[in-house]
Amino acid sequence: MRVTVDHDKCQGHALCFGLDPENFPLDDLGYSAVDERVIPPGSEDNAQRAYQGCPERAISVHL
Ligand code: SF4
């Protein structure tokens, strides 16, 4: 599983970080620091929660 973040959509709510801090680090301004990330087995449920929790639909999941 792989995730990408659309930085044109990201508004820096940090909800992704709150739901999955391991896979969704933030930059110094509170926006997602993720461009593309391979989610390690075992934390896919957390990544799914972050995906569903992003109010801007900035996160995409690629299976
Ligand atoms: S929850 Fe969505 S909008 Fe907010 S920081 Fe994360 S990717 Fe960006």
Side-chain angles (χ1 to χ4, degrees), residues 5-14 16 26-27 30-34 54 56-59:
V5 174
D6 183 340
H7 294 283
D8 290 335
K9 292 182 179 175
C10 177
Q11 296 297 315
H13 302 293
C16 53
L26 303 177
D27 66 16
Y31 291 82
S32 177
V34 175
C54 176
E56 305 298 335
R57 294 278 177 237
I59 300 170

Side-chain angles (χ1 to χ4, degrees), residues 3-58:
V3 297
T4 53
V5 174
D6 183 340
H7 294 283
D8 290 335
K9 292 182 179 175
C10 177
Q11 296 297 315
H13 302 293
L15 293 174
C16 53
F17 177 77
L19 291 163
D20 185 0
E22 184 181 333
N23 289 308
F24 290 90
L26 303 177
D27 66 16
D28 291 344
L29 297 175
Y31 291 82
S32 177
V34 175
D35 294 322
E36 178 178 23
R37 188 177 185 94
V38 175
I39 305 300
S43 65
E44 293 178 339
D45 286 351
N46 286 345
Q48 277 283 354
R49 278 192 274 276
Y51 160 68
Q52 290 168 356
C54 176
E56 305 298 335
R57 294 278 177 237

